[in-house]
Each structure stands twice: as structure tokens, then as C-alpha cells.
Amino acid sequence: MKNIILTGDRPTGKLHLGHYVGSLKKRVEMQADEANQLFVMIADMQALTDNAKNPEKVSSNVLEVALDYLAVGLDPAKSTLFIQSQIPELAELTMYYLNLVSVGRVRRNPTVKTEIEQKKFGESVPTGFFIYPVSQAADITAFKANLVPVGEDQKPMLEQTQEIVQSFNHTYGEVLVEPKGVFPPKGMGRLPGIDGNGKMSKSLGNGIYISDPADVLQKKVMSMYTDPNHIHVQDPGQVEGNMVFTYLDVFGTDKEAIEEMKAHYRRGGLGDVKIKRYLIDVLEAEFAPIRARREELAKDPQAVMDILRHGSGEAAKVAAATLSEVKAAMGINYFNK
């Protein structure tokens, strides 16, 4: 039996290095294992839950996210890449699952509570946004995914899916597969923004994007937060909380050289410009080939959309089969008995 894995991203902007470290790189590794079947979803319906009045922000970024996927190495011959809104079965499953979840339970979901506070919705939270954990359960169960790669902050969402599966199977019979989470190694789940404030985020504007040209990447690295007290080259500097060293720990391959740089920086005599230039070289070594592939793919956007069209068709077949089983278990397959 293969592992069935569901993962995806909201198309509200191009993907950044935080996405690359937190999920994209791992997906490519999972794809290479023949024991895995990977479904990768561009979650445009979920993105619309808080962008309904600005749909162009979502629709225009579907292609951008797909380009990032293909550029980093996701292969449509090995993984199913699809668009959430093109699978109507997901919306129908969501409706059935909503009847198994109370308003109080959704309100207590820590991830939902936190995101509502962050977005300052107050009492104006869109209903679609409020219930999106149930929509996520539909996404996961439609493909009978048994593994779902998520960050620690998404653990409550996965737990809600597990509860819905348990409730459905208890009520209607064993139909749905209960998924397990695949969590990143400790310390590797989030990449801080270049300003040192929390995680890298589209909304905070503190990210380096996979698609950033070399000159833009260089400019962003040169603006990185380091040690504000390291004013002169000869001053001892602090490595902890210094974003340049944080990124070197993640992307650098010569660990011995990086440790020597840290020791030199701590005792003084090593300037910020020098370590930033070193980081630029490290990032260019990894991302220049990815950028080149992306630029080539972007020359034929229709070919990319055709990949998504085909993937969505394949995903719809799987979701339709699950929905048929769900309706049969519920006794509402009136014309197919």
C-alpha cells in the first residue's frame, strides 16, 4: 500500500524561501520515494475565504504558485498538481462534514482563534474563513490521505480532521481514512523573515522569494537584520538572533567554515558585509538553477495551466470515488443503489 500524501499552498502571492524550507523541499524528497503518492493542491477556495472581495489577488497567483512548484522540482508525471476550486466534490464533502462539527468546536480551534485575531476580523469574520478547518478535512479525506505534512501551528487543524473522520466512521461506517501529521524536524519548521520578526510572511513583506532575480536577492540579503550593536568591524558580534547566521545554518553546506565564521564574528574582526556576501553566494548556488527553470517555464504559461488542468481532472476522479462512498454510507445515493 502506498502512502497517500496531501499538501498545498494558498495562492495569495509567489512562494518564498520559508515555503521552500518548510515544505517544498520535503515534497520533492517525498515525490522521489515510490512508496508515496503525492497530491499537491493550489488552495484557491481557501484563499478566497479572506480575499473574496479581491479575487484577482487569488486567481492571478495560481500560475505563480504552479511555476514555483515546477521550478523546485515537483514533477507532474510523479505528483498530481491540481486547483482546489476545480474539484466540486470537495465543497459537497465540506457540507456533509459541517453537520458533524459544532460551532463551539470550531471556535475553540487554536489556529482559527489565532488567525482571526491576527487578521483583526472581530465580529466580521467571514463564515467561510471560520469553517475552513472543515474544508481542510474534506481536502484531506477526499484523497484518503494517510499522511499530511504540516507545521506545528497547523496541528489543531489536523486534529479537527481526525475528529471528523472518527465521527463520520462511527456514525456511518468505516469509509474515511484517519490521517497522521508529518512534522518538520525541530527548528526547521519556520524560517524567520529577513527583518528578524517572526516567520517569513507575504503580508509582512519580509521575505525572499524563490523567483527573486539575483539583484533583488542581493539587495534583500544586504538589508538583513544582524546585530545592531556590531557597529565597527572590530567589535565582537552576536550570532544568536543574527539573521545572516540563521540563514547560513539552514542553507550553508560547509558547516565547518560557518562555525569558524561564527567564532570570528563573536570575537570581533569580521564585518557584516563580508558574511552577507558569503550568504549571497550560498543562496545563489541553490536558487540560481531554480530561478532559471522558472524563467523558462514562464515563457509558456499555457503549458503550465495545461498541467494543472490535467492534474485537476485526475484529482477529481479520486475525489468523486470517495464522495460516492460517502453518499452510499449516508444512504443518500438515491439513484445509484
Side-chain angles (χ1 to χ4, degrees), residues 8 16 38 43 50 57 94 110 112 138 151 153 176 190 206 261 265 274 281 313 335 337:
H16 51 58
L38 200 62
D50 57 335
K57 177 183 178 182
T94 299
V112 174
D153 59 333
L176 303 179
R190 282 189 173 186
N206 63 354
M261 289 176 71
Y265 193 79
K274 190 167 184 177
D281 290 341
F335 306 120
K337 291 184 178 179

Side-chain angles (χ1 to χ4, degrees), residues 278-329:
Y278 183 83
L279 175 59
I280 289 167
D281 290 341
V282 166
L283 293 178
E284 276 297 301
E286 182 138 5
F287 290 99
I290 293 173
R291 187 191 306 126
R293 283 196 298 272
R294 194 184 193 282
E295 290 171 356
E296 191 62 32
L297 288 160
K299 292 176 182 177
D300 192 353
Q302 188 55 54
V304 177
M305 293 308 292
D306 285 345
I307 288 170
L308 295 179
R309 183 196 300 274
H310 177 75
S312 296
E314 293 302 304
K317 292 176 188 175
V318 178
T322 300
L323 178 61
S324 180
E325 289 183 56
V326 164
K327 293 173 80 169

